[in-house]
Amino acid sequence: MTSAELFDRGSRVIPGGVNSPVRAFNSVGGTPVYMASGKGSRLTTVEGRELIDFCGSWGPLILGHAREEVVEAATEATARGMSFGANTVAEVEFAELLCSRIPHAEKVRLVSSGTEATMTALRLARGVTGRTKILKFNGGYHGHSDGLLVAAGSGLLTGGVSSSAGVTDTVAADVFIPQYNDLEAVDAIVAESGGDLAAVIVEPIAGNMGVVPPAPGFLEGLRTACTRCGALLIFDEVITGFRMGPTTYGNIAGVTPDLTCLGKIIGGGMPIGGIVGPDAIMEQLAPNGAVYQAGTLSGNPVAVAAGMKTLEILIREHPYPRLTALGADIATGVNEAARRHGVAMHCAAFGGSFTCFFRRDPVRNLEQAKDCDTKAFAAFYHAMLAGGIYLPPSQFETAFVSAAHSNADIGVFLEVVDSALAQQRRNSE
Ligand SMILES: *Cc1c(COP(=O)(O)O)cnc(C)c1O
């Protein structure tokens, strides 16, 4: 069966044909591609086409697809029993490893997704502070729990509005939403409502509006603002944790949050999430504390085995300088091609993460990201796909290189970019 036939068939029994909305290709048009397998940097579609993958399952696959040691670890764990609903040695070892890599982590609670991690972190922050309000940034994505599906309201100092049917206005009103990288707005909110603020939650490198690095002093400023008003600073490192180094980005940047949320990479491709922080906060979780949280499959032995092996390999092989170099090669190559062809776009890269923004100037926040030419992105996306490159199917996402990508893979990527932009120029003439 072809992807088109499968999408047709899937759409009859799955809402929109997908189990997560952005897979539906709604923002680039066309039919989603169905995958048969992945190995290293390559995907094989159900049609038997080979694609070079720069989506990396949206972040987890920093070692590429089906890395042998990870597959072996998960397979062995599977054979020993896929779930016990009781404690295992692996959970202890995994928590010890995370605590040893993340300085502010004295305790770890594992969950099954990034969404659960941020949801739990916010409940914990409210439980610990006894306050109700949350600050998140416009365009920051922290999973799909009610309190985080909130868009900016009419005024900065009033709360947000629901961005999904089914999320009540009452929930949305508890969330302040300034622009990313806007410390002045944060300070204004803290001056007005700091006493009600339970937490500031932020992706220390924004990844869900395309990759947008923090402006110099931004994370430090958030730390200062939170300390001043007594709100907890939560770094959502579901993407950035172990992506820029074998630790959190907060640790690399030298800014210590109160809580860090993890996911994606720490599961090595299996469903996982985690909340880490100091004893004084983490012990407020049930069973010792009053903040309830639980999960049938939390700390699942197969997920922990895949995650543990992934982190061990990252620590052993330290692919980070190479990932950064490949990301820089991509950005340089794309930006040269954009200039050569006179296309209004630029590629932003941070470590091995990158986004091709169809806008000439750098993007600092969601407003500017929204200014991108999404039609041009859609045409680019399909030209890249036709040329054998699989990117995340939206302008507002981050693409990733993995340790399995070769220099030759990057060379092919840049050749396809060149012909995609040449085509774009011809179409605009
Ligand atoms: C993916 C993501 C989440 C949600 O994780 P899921 O495992 O999809 O629930 C939360 N925060 C950030 C920054 C993410 O990128």
Side-chain angles (χ1 to χ4, degrees), residues 20 58 112-118 140-144 201-205 207-208 236-240 261-264 271-273 397:
S20 194
W58 304 90
S112 297
S113 69
T115 294
E116 275 183 83
T118 56
Y141 179 70
H142 307 287
H144 64 98
I201 185 166
V202 64
E203 296 172 72
I205 303 163
N208 287 287
D236 178 353
E237 299 228 25
V238 172
I239 288 185
T240 53
C261 298
L262 298 167
K264 294 188 174 134
I272 207 162
E397 299 291 350

Side-chain angles (χ1 to χ4, degrees), residues 40 65 91 125 135 142 147 157 169 173 180 183 185 197 226 250 261 265 272 321 334 339 358 380 386 393 429:
H65 293 270
E91 285 165 277
L135 185 154
H142 307 287
L157 301 178
D169 292 337
Y180 192 72
L183 258 187
L197 202 58
C226 285
C261 298
I265 287 176
I272 207 162
V334 171
R339 257 193 306 278
F358 279 77
F380 173 75
E429 275 165 10

Side-chain angles (χ1 to χ4, degrees), residues 113-424:
S113 69
T115 294
E116 275 183 83
T118 56
M119 179 183 80
T120 300
L122 292 188
R123 184 180 304 140
L124 187 52
R126 285 177 165 132
V128 166
T129 60
R131 301 171 176 184
T132 51
K133 304 285 188 191
I134 299 293
L135 185 154
K136 82 173 272 286
F137 292 92
N138 204 19
Y141 179 70
H142 307 287
H144 64 98
S145 67
D146 279 16
L148 289 163
L149 292 182
V150 181
S154 52
L156 182 66
L157 301 178
T158 57
V161 294
S162 158
S163 66
S164 164
V167 172
T168 64
D169 292 337
T170 324
V171 166
D174 278 337
V175 187
F176 295 109
I177 309 200
Q179 294 292 332
Y180 192 72
N181 276 328
D182 188 350
L183 258 187
E184 271 175 37
V186 173
D187 287 338
I189 292 164
V190 166
E192 174 95 2
S193 305
D196 298 325
L197 202 58
V200 170
I201 185 166
V202 64
E203 296 172 72
I205 303 163
N208 287 287
M209 48 179 114
V211 66
V212 178
F218 178 58
L219 299 176
E220 291 82 354
L222 294 182
R223 178 65 278 176
T224 306
C226 285
T227 304
R228 194 180 336 123
C229 73
L232 301 197
L233 179 60
I234 302 171
F235 278 178
D236 178 353
E237 299 228 25
V238 172
I239 288 185
T240 53
F242 293 86
R243 168 60 60 184
M244 302 295 160
T247 181
T248 56
Y249 182 67
N251 185 26
I252 294 170
V255 181
T256 307
D258 297 291
L259 291 170
T260 297
C261 298
L262 298 167
K264 294 188 174 134
I265 287 176
I266 68 154
M270 294 292 292
I272 207 162
I275 307 102
V276 309
D279 266 342
I281 302 175
M282 295 298 291
E283 284 294 339
Q284 301 303 313
L285 284 171
N288 289 354
V291 179
Y292 193 71
Q293 187 280 327
T296 303
L297 294 176
S298 291
N300 175 266
V302 184
V304 167
M308 183 87 176
K309 185 55 73 180
T310 297
L311 299 194
E312 282 171 8
I313 294 171
L314 288 173
I315 292 162
R316 186 180 81 216
E317 297 190 348
H318 205 80
Y320 299 102
R322 191 164 163 274
L323 293 175
T324 300
L326 295 182
D329 287 349
I330 285 179
T332 308
V334 171
N335 291 332
E336 275 169 12
R339 257 193 306 278
R340 215 165 36 244
H341 296 293
V343 175
M345 72 173 298
H346 77 278
C347 180
F350 203 102
S353 313
F354 68 97
T355 301
C356 297
F357 287 107
F358 279 77
R359 177 183 197 269
R360 210 175 292 276
D361 299 320
V363 170
R364 271 174 61 92
N365 58 36
L366 184 68
E367 296 275 281
Q368 295 179 350
K370 276 185 169 164
D371 186 42
C372 288
D373 183 347
T374 50
K375 283 212 180 81
F377 177 83
F380 173 75
Y381 184 83
H382 283 288
M384 295 300 287
L385 188 56
I389 304 292
Y390 191 74
L391 286 166
S394 161
Q395 170 70 96
F396 308 108
E397 299 291 350
T398 300
F400 299 101
V401 290
S402 79
H405 283 76
S406 65
N407 292 346
D409 287 336
I410 307 306
V412 173
F413 177 90
L414 291 175
E415 277 167 32
V416 181
V417 166
D418 192 61
S419 54
L421 295 186
Q423 191 180 321
Q424 207 121 3

